[in-house]
mmCIF file of all heavy atoms in Angstrom:
data_model
loop_
_atom_site.group_PDB
_atom_site.id
_atom_site.type_symbol
_atom_site.label_atom_id
_atom_site.label_comp_id
_atom_site.label_asym_id
_atom_site.label_seq_id
_atom_site.Cartn_x
_atom_site.Cartn_y
_atom_site.Cartn_z
ATOM 1 N N MET Z 296 38.365 -8.803 -1.547
ATOM 2 C CA MET Z 296 37.440 -9.639 -0.719
ATOM 3 C C MET Z 296 36.054 -8.977 -0.946
ATOM 4 O O MET Z 296 35.011 -9.677 -1.005
ATOM 5 C CB MET Z 296 37.825 -9.572 0.708
ATOM 6 C CG MET Z 296 36.934 -10.436 1.630
ATOM 7 S SD MET Z 296 37.011 -12.202 1.013
ATOM 8 C CE MET Z 296 35.531 -12.811 1.889
ATOM 9 N N LYS Z 297 35.987 -7.660 -1.037
ATOM 10 C CA LYS Z 297 34.757 -6.946 -1.154
ATOM 11 C C LYS Z 297 34.044 -7.284 -2.473
ATOM 12 O O LYS Z 297 32.834 -7.485 -2.501
ATOM 13 C CB LYS Z 297 35.026 -5.479 -1.143
ATOM 14 C CG LYS Z 297 33.846 -4.537 -0.858
ATOM 15 C CD LYS Z 297 34.328 -3.123 -0.669
ATOM 16 C CE LYS Z 297 33.096 -2.228 -0.514
ATOM 17 N NZ LYS Z 297 33.571 -0.776 -0.436
ATOM 18 N N THR Z 298 34.807 -7.508 -3.544
ATOM 19 C CA THR Z 298 34.242 -7.889 -4.837
ATOM 20 C C THR Z 298 33.594 -9.254 -4.824
ATOM 21 O O THR Z 298 32.724 -9.567 -5.568
ATOM 22 C CB THR Z 298 35.260 -7.825 -5.955
ATOM 23 O OG1 THR Z 298 36.253 -8.819 -5.712
ATOM 24 C CG2 THR Z 298 35.936 -6.490 -6.107
ATOM 25 N N LEU Z 299 34.084 -10.077 -3.874
ATOM 26 C CA LEU Z 299 33.573 -11.455 -3.769
ATOM 27 C C LEU Z 299 32.362 -11.600 -2.836
ATOM 28 O O LEU Z 299 31.687 -12.642 -2.865
ATOM 29 C CB LEU Z 299 34.641 -12.418 -3.332
ATOM 30 C CG LEU Z 299 35.867 -12.572 -4.198
ATOM 31 C CD1 LEU Z 299 36.938 -13.413 -3.519
ATOM 32 C CD2 LEU Z 299 35.490 -13.222 -5.539
ATOM 33 N N MET Z 300 32.080 -10.543 -2.062
ATOM 34 C CA MET Z 300 31.045 -10.664 -1.015
ATOM 35 C C MET Z 300 29.692 -10.889 -1.557
ATOM 36 O O MET Z 300 28.893 -11.700 -1.073
ATOM 37 C CB MET Z 300 31.071 -9.400 -0.150
ATOM 38 C CG MET Z 300 32.156 -9.428 0.876
ATOM 39 S SD MET Z 300 31.997 -8.003 2.029
ATOM 40 C CE MET Z 300 30.538 -8.499 2.886
ATOM 41 N N LEU Z 301 29.370 -10.222 -2.748
ATOM 42 C CA LEU Z 301 28.040 -10.348 -3.268
ATOM 43 C C LEU Z 301 27.758 -11.648 -3.806
ATOM 44 O O LEU Z 301 26.675 -12.300 -3.563
ATOM 45 C CB LEU Z 301 27.708 -9.168 -4.231
ATOM 46 C CG LEU Z 301 27.735 -7.799 -3.686
ATOM 47 C CD1 LEU Z 301 27.487 -6.709 -4.706
ATOM 48 C CD2 LEU Z 301 26.706 -7.699 -2.539
ATOM 49 N N PRO Z 302 28.657 -12.238 -4.682
ATOM 50 C CA PRO Z 302 28.359 -13.607 -5.179
ATOM 51 C C PRO Z 302 28.333 -14.621 -4.046
ATOM 52 O O PRO Z 302 27.531 -15.573 -4.127
ATOM 53 C CB PRO Z 302 29.591 -13.818 -6.106
ATOM 54 C CG PRO Z 302 30.289 -12.595 -6.373
ATOM 55 C CD PRO Z 302 29.809 -11.636 -5.342
ATOM 56 N N ILE Z 303 29.195 -14.468 -3.058
ATOM 57 C CA ILE Z 303 29.154 -15.369 -1.895
ATOM 58 C C ILE Z 303 27.768 -15.209 -1.166
ATOM 59 O O ILE Z 303 27.198 -16.271 -0.783
ATOM 60 C CB ILE Z 303 30.302 -15.066 -0.936
ATOM 61 C CG1 ILE Z 303 31.619 -15.481 -1.508
ATOM 62 C CG2 ILE Z 303 30.090 -15.757 0.407
ATOM 63 C CD1 ILE Z 303 32.818 -14.968 -0.699
ATOM 64 N N ALA Z 304 27.296 -14.050 -1.032
ATOM 65 C CA ALA Z 304 26.024 -13.795 -0.383
ATOM 66 C C ALA Z 304 24.870 -14.455 -1.172
ATOM 67 O O ALA Z 304 23.935 -15.122 -0.586
ATOM 68 C CB ALA Z 304 25.724 -12.308 -0.258
ATOM 69 N N MET Z 305 24.898 -14.426 -2.516
ATOM 70 C CA MET Z 305 23.880 -15.038 -3.323
ATOM 71 C C MET Z 305 23.907 -16.566 -3.269
ATOM 72 O O MET Z 305 22.900 -17.228 -3.091
ATOM 73 C CB MET Z 305 24.052 -14.594 -4.778
ATOM 74 C CG MET Z 305 23.801 -13.079 -5.009
ATOM 75 S SD MET Z 305 23.965 -12.614 -6.709
ATOM 76 C CE MET Z 305 22.591 -13.460 -7.422
ATOM 77 N N VAL Z 306 25.113 -17.148 -3.377
ATOM 78 C CA VAL Z 306 25.251 -18.584 -3.272
ATOM 79 C C VAL Z 306 24.855 -19.057 -1.875
ATOM 80 O O VAL Z 306 24.128 -20.062 -1.692
ATOM 81 C CB VAL Z 306 26.662 -19.062 -3.558
ATOM 82 C CG1 VAL Z 306 26.870 -20.511 -3.265
ATOM 83 C CG2 VAL Z 306 27.038 -18.725 -4.994
ATOM 84 N N GLY Z 307 25.278 -18.295 -0.856
ATOM 85 C CA GLY Z 307 24.911 -18.647 0.547
ATOM 86 C C GLY Z 307 23.449 -18.607 0.777
ATOM 87 O O GLY Z 307 22.868 -19.407 1.490
ATOM 88 N N GLY Z 308 22.752 -17.607 0.191
ATOM 89 C CA GLY Z 308 21.332 -17.460 0.339
ATOM 90 C C GLY Z 308 20.604 -18.662 -0.277
ATOM 91 O O GLY Z 308 19.627 -19.175 0.336
ATOM 92 N N ALA Z 309 21.070 -19.167 -1.390
ATOM 93 C CA ALA Z 309 20.503 -20.293 -2.064
ATOM 94 C C ALA Z 309 20.692 -21.580 -1.253
ATOM 95 O O ALA Z 309 19.813 -22.376 -1.065
ATOM 96 C CB ALA Z 309 21.045 -20.476 -3.477
ATOM 97 N N VAL Z 310 21.900 -21.675 -0.684
ATOM 98 C CA VAL Z 310 22.203 -22.913 0.081
ATOM 99 C C VAL Z 310 21.419 -23.017 1.418
ATOM 100 O O VAL Z 310 20.894 -24.026 1.774
ATOM 101 C CB VAL Z 310 23.754 -22.915 0.390
ATOM 102 C CG1 VAL Z 310 24.046 -24.063 1.362
ATOM 103 C CG2 VAL Z 310 24.575 -23.133 -0.916
ATOM 104 N N PHE Z 311 21.227 -21.834 1.996
ATOM 105 C CA PHE Z 311 20.547 -21.771 3.315
ATOM 106 C C PHE Z 311 19.108 -21.361 3.191
ATOM 107 O O PHE Z 311 18.518 -21.019 4.160
ATOM 108 C CB PHE Z 311 21.325 -20.850 4.243
ATOM 109 C CG PHE Z 311 22.652 -21.331 4.668
ATOM 110 C CD1 PHE Z 311 23.813 -20.839 4.059
ATOM 111 C CD2 PHE Z 311 22.808 -22.306 5.650
ATOM 112 C CE1 PHE Z 311 25.074 -21.263 4.466
ATOM 113 C CE2 PHE Z 311 24.048 -22.736 6.047
ATOM 114 C CZ PHE Z 311 25.219 -22.219 5.433
ATOM 115 N N SER Z 312 18.547 -21.481 1.980
ATOM 116 C CA SER Z 312 17.184 -21.071 1.759
ATOM 117 C C SER Z 312 16.129 -21.733 2.660
ATOM 118 O O SER Z 312 15.124 -21.091 3.054
ATOM 119 C CB SER Z 312 16.806 -21.280 0.286
ATOM 120 O OG SER Z 312 16.927 -22.609 -0.095
ATOM 121 N N PRO Z 313 16.262 -23.019 3.094
ATOM 122 C CA PRO Z 313 15.302 -23.638 3.921
ATOM 123 C C PRO Z 313 15.123 -22.903 5.307
ATOM 124 O O PRO Z 313 14.050 -22.988 5.916
ATOM 125 C CB PRO Z 313 15.787 -25.061 4.154
ATOM 126 C CG PRO Z 313 16.681 -25.287 2.920
ATOM 127 C CD PRO Z 313 17.275 -23.979 2.602
#
Side-chain angles (χ1 to χ4, degrees):
M296 185 60 197
K297 198 173 174 183
T298 64
L299 296 174
M300 282 188 68
L301 295 179
I303 290 172
M305 294 181 67
V306 173
V310 171
F311 293 100
S312 60

